[in-house]
Amino acid sequence: MDSLDLSRWQFGITTVYHFIFVPITIGLSALVAGLQTAWVRTGKEHYLRATKFWGKLFLINFAIGVVTGIVQEFQFGMNWSNYSRFVGDIFGAPLAMEGLLAFFLESTFLGLWIFGWDRLPKRVHLATIWTAAIGTMLSAYFILAANSWMQHPVGWKMGDGRAELTSIWAVLTNSTTLVTFPHTITACFLTAGALLLAVSAWHLRKGNQEQVFRPSLRLGAWVVLIAGLGVLITGDLQARVMTEQQPMKMAAAEALYENTESASFSVFTIGSLDGKEEVWSVRIPSLLSFMATGDPSGEVEGINDLQSAYQREYGEGDYTPIVPVTYWSFRLMIGFGGLAMLVALAALWFNRGERRSTSRWLWIASIGCVAMPLLANSFGWIFTEMGRQPWTVFGLFKTDQSGSPAVSTGEAATGLIVLTLLYGVLAVIEVGLFLKYARAGAPEIPADTGDEAEDRPLAFAY
């Protein structure tokens, strides 16, 4: 491997790792705000206990997410200097907005939420967590706007050998951003709902604090189902935009090599190692054409035809991504998301009313449900980024042009090893803290909660 390959591995590992925390933070912030709203409106103690319990887990996740996110931006300068010089004028604008506007908004009001218990009026305190939740979504929007520009560059011109920004409004209203944002946000809620479902199932299985965790389990399951439907609808819209802007990515998602009308979608395929020859498959007729064009009889362009077209437009080269990676990451993304919805539906059905499931396997599946959206999210991003290759910015700047010539193979290997080990240590810390406080259950509310409460603003975190 050369320094470019090592830099790609480093960025891939750190990005997938960081995105484990992002959807939990975004989804859980709004769910905690919703639970606190229920407490403010009804005065019921179990809502307050749930707010403090899930808020505790939210804060742990938020802290690790911030730490791992900082590394992302430094990598652009260290490992991807050519890319940064070429697109920095455009790519840096939404990232600066995220840092100066959205992140400061969420972190400031999150601080007010943490230290405002028993100090701020209830409704003012409630507004702080809602503002923080809105801040997390704004952060997502600006970052997705930057990434969407890499998928579909708009609002730019070429000047002095680099891309220059001509319209920040065009960048922020990129059609790719407008379909990617709702797809990502609904996936975040699906992830947070699965977390509620899993942790609540663990406590209910052990007979702990049913008055807190039965409502949390139902809330989590309903959020998984509703958000899952949102993911399906927005994903359908995103697939059509993707087919229009990056047809090679859609062709690689199906390993479709020739232009095909009424193209079927293979649920499962056994093929050659390079993905070029199919041995056996299970297919749904016309589904790929419907996903790509909205018409079951529509034509989907194949890899071979697109390769020839790209060579005519961009010059000689291989414009085909790694087909086995795109093919399986696309299916694993869909499969794990769908599996989480099935588990949520079963959990709701067998625990409806005053019923309580006696199935050991359902409880195990419900607890394991937390991993399913995380895996779906990870495979989704792998598909999104690997499917764009060989481009860093589609049709404009290639990955093999984007690295840092001054970074040696040894330096890139050192960075990869150090960051992987560091992130491994952070994973142990995160999992340890998460399990510790998740197992502890919802806190009891002291009788003196109110204006005369003890001066311990972080007391709810213990």
Side-chain angles (χ1 to χ4, degrees):
M1 286 189 180
D2 58 17
S3 61
L4 179 66
D5 292 327
L6 292 168
S7 295
R8 291 181 69 185
W9 271 104
Q10 177 182 302
F11 199 85
I13 290 170
T14 54
T15 299
V16 170
Y17 184 95
H18 173 62
F19 202 73
I20 291 173
F21 308 105
V22 171
I24 296 176
T25 294
I26 294 173
L28 200 54
S29 63
L31 293 181
V32 169
L35 287 167
Q36 187 170 343
T37 301
W39 170 62
V40 170
R41 289 177 62 87
T42 67
K44 294 180 179 179
E45 185 180 282
H46 71 269
Y47 285 129
L48 176 58
R49 295 178 68 192
T51 299
K52 294 194 173 186
F53 174 77
W54 297 112
K56 188 188 311 177
L57 300 184
F58 162 66
L59 291 175
I60 294 169
N61 186 81
F62 179 84
I64 299 293
V66 170
V67 172
T68 57
I70 291 173
V71 176
Q72 301 299 95
E73 296 184 7
F74 280 107
Q75 288 183 89
F76 290 120
M78 294 187 296
N79 296 76
W80 303 97
S81 58
N82 283 348
Y83 169 80
S84 298
R85 278 191 291 268
F86 185 77
V87 304
D89 186 55
I90 301 169
F91 196 76
L95 292 184
M97 292 178 177
E98 188 275 333
L100 296 174
L101 174 62
F103 180 73
F104 273 89
L105 181 70
E106 62 185 279
S107 57
T108 298
F109 281 90
L110 188 58
L112 288 171
W113 185 71
I114 294 171
F115 293 97
W117 285 98
D118 306 319
R119 286 171 168 75
L120 297 174
K122 277 186 180 181
R123 294 186 182 276
V124 173
H125 185 251
L126 174 62
T128 63
I129 186 62
W130 275 115
T131 306
I134 292 170
T136 64
M137 294 186 191
L138 283 175
S139 285
Y141 191 90
F142 289 126
I143 292 171
L144 289 172
N147 181 268
S148 295
W149 190 85
M150 297 168 66
Q151 312 292 337
H152 179 58
V154 295
W156 68 281
K157 68 176 183 179
M158 189 66 73
D160 297 325
R162 61 195 293 267
E164 295 181 352
L165 182 67
T166 59
S167 172
I168 186 62
W169 181 249
V171 173
L172 294 179
T173 59
N174 189 340
S175 58
T176 307
T177 308
L178 297 180
V179 294
T180 301
F181 178 71
H183 187 62
T184 303
I185 293 300
T186 49
C188 292
F189 278 99
L190 193 155
T191 306
L195 176 66
L196 263 67
L197 171 59
V199 176
S200 300
W202 187 86
H203 281 285
L204 292 175
R205 174 67 175 164
K206 293 185 173 295
N208 297 338
Q209 301 178 330
E210 187 163 334
Q211 71 278 18
V212 174
F213 290 109
R214 177 174 281 272
S216 289
L217 182 140
R218 288 175 177 165
L219 173 62
W222 275 114
V223 168
V224 168
L225 289 175
I226 295 170
L229 289 175
V231 169
L232 290 174
I233 294 169
T234 56
D236 178 61
L237 296 173
Q238 190 177 27
R240 293 171 195 176
V241 172
M242 179 183 73
T243 303
E244 178 183 343
Q245 297 171 352
Q246 297 184 56
M248 180 65 85
K249 186 184 289 188
M250 178 56 84
E254 179 52 35
L256 184 72
Y257 281 85
E258 304 298 335
N259 290 4
T260 305
E261 295 181 355
S262 299
S264 60
F265 178 83
S266 56
V267 178
F268 181 84
T269 296
I270 297 175
S272 58
L273 291 177
D274 61 5
K276 293 184 178 180
E277 294 183 15
E278 179 183 305
V279 177
W280 178 84
S281 66
V282 177
R283 294 184 168 273
I284 302 175
S286 302
L287 181 58
L288 182 67
S289 286
F290 180 77
M291 291 170 60
T293 68
D295 181 0
S297 61
E299 183 180 45
V300 182
E301 294 179 277
I303 292 172
N304 292 335
D305 297 276
L306 289 166
Q307 170 67 18
S308 299
Y310 286 176
Q311 284 185 329
R312 290 192 296 270
E313 183 174 358
Y314 302 115
E316 292 298 316
D318 185 2
Y319 297 94
T320 305
I322 303 174
V323 173
V325 173
T326 54
Y327 179 91
W328 285 111
S329 59
F330 190 67
R331 277 147 188 80
L332 290 169
M333 171 189 68
I334 297 171
F336 281 117
L339 190 58
M341 293 177 67
L342 288 176
V343 172
L345 182 61
L348 275 177
W349 177 256
F350 289 104
N351 292 282
R352 65 191 186 279
E354 298 301 318
R355 297 174 180 84
R356 181 177 174 186
S357 173
T358 58
S359 171
R360 177 172 177 265
W361 292 109
L362 178 59
W363 291 115
I364 292 174
S366 297
I367 295 168
C369 183
V370 67
M372 298 170 193
L374 295 175
L375 290 168
N377 294 334
S378 297
F379 284 117
W381 274 112
I382 290 170
F383 168 74
T384 298
E385 299 305 302
M386 292 294 288
R388 191 185 60 242
Q389 299 304 315
W391 302 102
T392 310
V393 181
F394 182 77
L396 182 63
F397 204 61
K398 289 186 175 181
T399 303
D400 59 12
Q401 301 172 284
S402 303
S404 295
V407 175
S408 67
T409 301
E411 291 169 334
T414 300
L416 172 61
I417 293 169
V418 169
L419 284 175
T420 301
L421 292 175
L422 176 61
Y423 276 34
V425 172
L426 288 174
V428 172
I429 295 172
E430 158 79 5
V431 171
L433 287 172
F434 221 85
L435 290 178
K436 175 183 176 181
Y437 289 107
R439 287 170 175 166
E444 298 294 336
I445 305 300
D448 63 346
T449 297
D451 295 336
E452 298 179 0
E454 187 176 353
D455 187 16
R456 293 190 300 144
L458 290 176
F460 78 97
Y462 295 94

